[in-house]
């Protein structure tokens, strides 16, 4: 399949460690944010979302943190597994419409 | 249930030709989106349908690009007089169309213009 992240920043972690992927968003009016995981040759897969009236949201092994003051999102993955290896994108949505604006993405590589 | 499906998975065409890309959304989803993804970049918005009508087509790069959704379900993205710069992965997503809502993506169609 096609590689989706040839020139993306890369985070390399050891299996079992925690991962933190960061994202800066652009629009202070954005009020909904999503993290997607994209494996090579596949479409983006929903991981977790958060609304702007929240600072933190937890899912299974994943946590998203939102800092509206500095327009920053982070995705924390606990006990990272080889299956977590992929490109991760944050996306923002603002009330002007329902389109998503994606960040540049980060490639996560998990070493066994 | 079934996710978003897109056909074909790969399309190779020659410069100047016409292509059609198809998207079949998740059943019950009223909103449908087309995005384009170039290598090493995030998806970029092209057009959004709510039901049969295009609610926002501000992302279409020029008038060679057109999309339809005649019955409010399946959508077709049409590209006329293709150019090499049109080569990319074309992604379709669908949702319930109520803000804020989660967009679920299909596997994409990889378009290569020779």
């Amino acid at each position: 399949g096609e590689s989706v992240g040839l020139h993306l920043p890369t985070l390399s972690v050891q299996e079992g460690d925690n991962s933190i992927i960061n994202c800066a968003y652009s629009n202070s009016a954005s009020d909904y944010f999503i993290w997607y995981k994209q494996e090579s040759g596949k479409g983006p897969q929903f991981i977790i979302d958060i609304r702007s009236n929240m600072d933190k949201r937890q899912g299974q092994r994943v946590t998203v943190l939102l800092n509206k003051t500095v327009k920053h999102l982070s995705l924390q993955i606990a006990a990272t597994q080889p299956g977590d290896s992929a490109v991760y994108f944050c996306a923002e949505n603002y009330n002007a419409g329902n389109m998503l604006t994606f960040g540049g993405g980060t490639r996560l590589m998990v070493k066994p | 249930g079934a996710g978003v499906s897109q056909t074909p998975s790969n399309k190779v065409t020659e410069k100047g030709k016409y292509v059609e890309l198809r998207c079949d959304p998740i059943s019950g989803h009223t909103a449908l989106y087309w995005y384009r993804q170039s290598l090493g970049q995030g998806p970029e918005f092209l057009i959004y349908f709510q039901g049969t009508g295009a609610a926002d087509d501000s992302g279409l790069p020029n008038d060679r690009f057109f999309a339809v959704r005649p019955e409010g379900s399946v959508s077709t993205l049409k590209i006329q007089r293709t150019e090499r710069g049109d080569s990319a992965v074309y992604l379709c997503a669908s949702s319930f169309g109520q803000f804020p809502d989660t967009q679920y993506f299909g596997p994409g169609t990889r378009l290569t213009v020779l």
Side-chain angles (χ1 to χ4, degrees):
Chain A
E2 176 184 270
S3 171
V4 299
L6 287 181
H7 306 292
L8 295 173
T10 298
L11 174 64
S12 185
V13 302
Q14 202 70 38
E15 181 179 0
D17 287 352
N18 296 334
S19 302
I20 300 176
I21 299 171
N22 297 303
C23 174
Y25 65 92
S26 58
N27 191 337
S28 57
S30 293
D31 55 7
Y32 179 55
F33 305 88
I34 305 175
W35 279 101
Y36 286 94
K37 171 187 180 184
Q38 190 171 26
E39 296 173 285
S40 186
K42 297 183 178 180
Q45 176 190 355
F46 171 84
I47 301 174
I48 191 168
D49 59 0
I50 189 168
R51 296 191 66 171
S52 61
N53 60 354
M54 302 172 69
D55 297 323
K56 178 179 180 179
R57 191 168 188 216
Q58 289 184 294
Q60 186 176 15
R61 281 203 307 119
V62 293
T63 300
V64 54
L65 299 177
L66 174 62
N67 185 330
K68 295 180 289 294
T69 302
V70 294
K71 294 191 288 187
H72 184 267
L73 273 172
S74 68
L75 175 69
Q76 302 178 357
I77 304 174
T80 314
Q81 302 169 358
D84 295 327
S85 294
V87 177
Y88 289 81
F89 291 99
C90 67
E92 62 183 296
N93 183 240
Y94 48 94
N95 58 13
N98 283 28
M99 64 184 235
L100 294 173
T101 300
F102 283 79
T106 298
R107 174 186 290 278
L108 176 64
M109 297 180 64
V110 182
K111 296 176 288 186
Chain B
V4 178
S5 62
Q6 293 186 245
T7 55
S9 55
N10 285 282
K11 176 70 177 178
V12 181
T13 191
E14 294 180 341
K15 180 176 178 298
K17 298 291 188 182
Y18 168 83
V19 297
E20 289 189 351
L21 312 178
R22 175 189 167 107
C23 172
D24 203 337
I26 292 171
S27 178
H29 279 186
T30 59
L32 184 146
Y33 312 79
W34 284 99
Y35 293 82
R36 178 168 70 174
Q37 185 174 30
S38 299
L39 197 60
Q41 298 182 15
E44 294 180 322
F45 170 77
L46 294 175
I47 186 169
Y48 154 54
F49 287 90
Q50 183 62 262
T52 60
D56 183 354
D57 65 357
S58 62
L60 295 177
N62 51 61
D63 61 6
R64 295 187 297 106
F65 289 75
F66 188 71
V68 296
R69 194 186 185 201
E71 298 179 358
S73 179
V74 171
S75 176
T76 304
L77 178 65
K78 308 180 181 191
I79 310 174
Q80 299 177 322
R81 303 183 303 281
T82 51
E83 300 177 356
R84 293 193 179 89
D86 299 334
S87 296
V89 174
Y90 289 81
L91 293 163
C92 176
S94 71
S95 73
F96 285 111
Q98 297 177 348
F99 182 85
D101 67 348
T102 304
Q103 297 180 24
Y104 295 92
F105 283 82
T109 294
R110 180 182 180 183
L111 175 66
T112 303
V113 182
L114 302 176

